[in-house]
């Protein structure tokens, strides 16, 4: 199998490394807006660098992995669909709903594959929580608490391209919330703070956010995120039911300290970033994509799944700006909107 990797930034390079080692992948063609960076990655892996995206499609590949800036995702997904190629794409499909819906329509019209990169679906902690819910271990689920905290903020230039904290960061929590519980969000109330570094205010973004979400079975969930968690990279989900309570992401590297005299000690080597924390999950999702391309399994996370997570992020953004509760039925793109 020959795979084209479009984008060789941090996550693109990680994916290229994973794919280059995969037993079912014969070769890669990599490209990037920075051709020198693409050449360096290709040389290190013993793969081929292409001068641009056009060559990826002209030279012939069996599938495409898209890890570019989000602004390019939708157009590249459409181009791959029109070429009859299966696609793995990092989230989100686009920063807005119209672009997302257009890309999904192109894939569905072409009858091709779009596998979205929500790696938490392949993390052992999250899969364990999903299994616990479905086994009945927790009884009736009543509360979910989701947390995503970056140790340090991204560069200021990235913020203007990211789509904001809800679409760039909390979208993972929104997808995990749906996937783990098996239920849909029906309404949200969100707030955000830009009291940190000025670059967030300059970008029209917030550095810290929180949302209260109601699920269609009455379960209440909270989701919080911040770009400024100096203790380390902290991603957790707590699920409480009438019979039991469980936690995802609590281990000897969780960057949290107890004030209790007999509490666990602070982590000596806390997680520092998403590639370190979710490395095995990123590898597992690419293996799943290859299995999908080979016809060995169903698509575990298609464009419609990504659309629902984006709709929740959109609802949170509206709620923050307008300081009100927002029903998901108000957001275009879902069955509940008729769109």
């Amino acid at each position: 199998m020959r795979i084209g990797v479009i984008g060789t930034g941090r996550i693109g390079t990680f994916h290229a490394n994973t794919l280059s080692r995969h037993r079912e992948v014969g070769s890669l063609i990599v490209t990037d807006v920075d051709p020198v960076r693409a050449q360096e990655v290709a040389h290190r892996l013993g793969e081929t660098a292409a001068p641009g995206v056009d060559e990826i499609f002209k030279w012939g590949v069996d599938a495409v992995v898209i890890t570019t800036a989000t602004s390019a995702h939708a157009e590249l997904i459409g181009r791959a669909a029109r070429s009859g190629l299966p696609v793995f794409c990092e989230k989100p499909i686009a920063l807005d709903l119209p672009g997302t819906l257009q890309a999904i329509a192109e894939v569905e019209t072409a009858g091709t594959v779009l596998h979205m990169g929500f790696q938490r679906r392949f993390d052992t902690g999250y899969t364990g929580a999903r299994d616990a819910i479905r086994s009945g271990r927790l009884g009736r689920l009543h509360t979910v608490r989701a947390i995503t905290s970056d140790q340090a903020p991204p560069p200021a230039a990235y913020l203007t391209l990211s789509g904001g904290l809800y679409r760039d960061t909390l979208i993972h929590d929104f997808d995990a919330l749906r996937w783990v519980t098996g239920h849909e969000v029906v309404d949200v109330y969100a707030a955000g703070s830009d009291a940190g570094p000025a670059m967030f205010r300059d970008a029209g973004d917030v550095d810290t956010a929180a949302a209260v979400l109601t699920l269609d079975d009455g379960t209440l969930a909270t989701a919080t995120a911040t770009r400024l968690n100096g203790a380390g990279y902290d991603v957790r989900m707590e699920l409480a039911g009438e019979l039991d309570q469980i936690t995802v992401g609590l281990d000897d590297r969780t960057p949290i300290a107890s004030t209790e005299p007999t509490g666990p000690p602070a982590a000596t080597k806390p997680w520092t970033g998403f590639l370190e924390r979710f490395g095995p999950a990123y590898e597992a999702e690419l293996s799943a994509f290859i299995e999908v391309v080979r016809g060995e399994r169903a698509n575990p996370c298609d464009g419609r799944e990504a659309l629902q997570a984006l709709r929740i992020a959109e609802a949170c953004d509206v709620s923050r700006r307008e300081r009100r509760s927002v029903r998901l039925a108000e957001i275009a793109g879902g069955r509940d909107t008729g769109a």
Side-chain angles (χ1 to χ4, degrees):
M1 184 182 298
R2 191 183 203 190
I3 296 180
V5 179
I6 307 175
T8 55
R10 184 166 48 165
I11 190 64
T13 297
F14 186 94
H15 286 340
N17 273 279
T18 298
L19 292 167
S20 186
R21 291 184 280 105
H22 198 284
R23 65 182 182 277
E24 301 294 347
V25 178
S27 62
L28 302 180
I29 304 175
V30 302
T31 192
D32 193 89
V33 292
D34 181 348
V36 173
R37 184 164 65 183
Q39 287 280 0
E40 291 173 348
V41 171
H43 178 73
R44 186 168 65 252
L45 298 178
E47 304 289 357
T48 302
V53 172
D54 288 347
E55 284 73 18
I56 293 285
F57 294 96
K58 289 177 181 177
W59 293 355
V61 293
D62 300 302
V64 174
V65 171
I66 300 171
T67 61
T68 62
T70 299
S71 58
H73 287 185
E75 191 277 329
L76 290 170
I77 289 169
R79 185 169 182 180
R82 293 189 297 274
S83 300
L85 293 172
V87 172
F88 175 92
C89 185
E90 281 299 325
K91 60 78 192 167
I93 294 173
L95 293 177
D96 59 13
L97 287 167
T100 299
L101 291 167
Q102 175 61 33
I104 291 173
E106 292 215 57
V107 170
E108 293 179 348
T109 297
T112 53
V113 168
L114 171 58
H115 178 186
M116 294 303 299
F118 283 101
Q119 86 284 354
R120 295 187 194 182
R121 293 179 178 224
F122 298 88
D123 176 74
T124 55
Y126 284 94
T127 56
R130 189 174 192 263
D131 292 343
I133 292 289
R134 281 152 182 75
S135 72
R137 170 182 165 184
L138 275 63
R140 183 185 69 86
L141 183 69
H142 53 71
T143 309
V144 182
R145 308 174 191 94
I147 299 167
T148 294
S149 302
D150 291 331
Q151 184 175 30
Y158 174 79
L159 294 177
T160 59
L161 305 172
S162 71
L165 194 58
Y166 297 108
R167 294 180 189 84
D168 184 52
T169 299
L170 277 166
I171 197 168
H172 280 290
D173 297 276
F174 300 150
D175 179 71
L177 178 62
R178 295 180 61 249
W179 185 74
V180 169
T181 66
H183 289 280
E184 299 293 341
V185 174
V186 295
D187 62 54
V188 307
Y189 188 90
S193 170
D194 62 3
M199 66 180 183
F200 292 97
R201 293 185 291 280
D202 294 341
D205 197 4
V206 294
D207 58 70
T208 304
V212 178
L213 310 99
T214 304
L215 305 190
D216 57 17
D217 66 340
T219 299
L220 294 179
T222 59
T224 63
T226 184
R227 301 283 198 186
L228 303 163
N229 193 58
Y233 181 73
D234 187 10
V235 173
R236 282 176 284 134
M237 176 180 276
E238 300 171 358
L239 300 104
E242 293 183 344
L243 299 180
D244 201 357
Q245 181 171 236
I246 56 176
T247 301
V248 177
L250 183 61
D251 58 21
D252 60 0
R253 298 192 65 182
T254 304
I256 191 168
S258 173
T259 61
E260 300 297 332
T262 59
T268 57
K269 189 181 179 182
W271 299 109
T272 59
F274 61 90
L275 287 178
E276 183 184 38
R277 165 67 177 84
F278 288 111
Y282 281 117
E283 293 185 5
E285 70 177 354
L286 285 177
S287 289
F289 174 60
I290 291 169
E291 291 172 3
V292 171
V293 174
R294 289 169 56 85
E296 297 171 352
R297 66 176 295 175
N299 190 345
C301 189
D302 64 17
R304 292 285 170 181
E305 294 288 292
L307 171 63
Q308 296 311 312
L310 179 62
R311 292 179 68 235
I312 299 168
E314 289 277 336
C316 287
D317 217 19
V318 172
S319 177
R320 179 182 69 86
R321 292 196 313 268
E322 299 183 4
R323 295 180 179 272
R324 66 177 179 90
S325 176
V326 174
R327 293 190 61 79
L328 264 291
E330 299 178 44
I331 307 300
R335 289 186 296 271
D336 48 5
T337 67

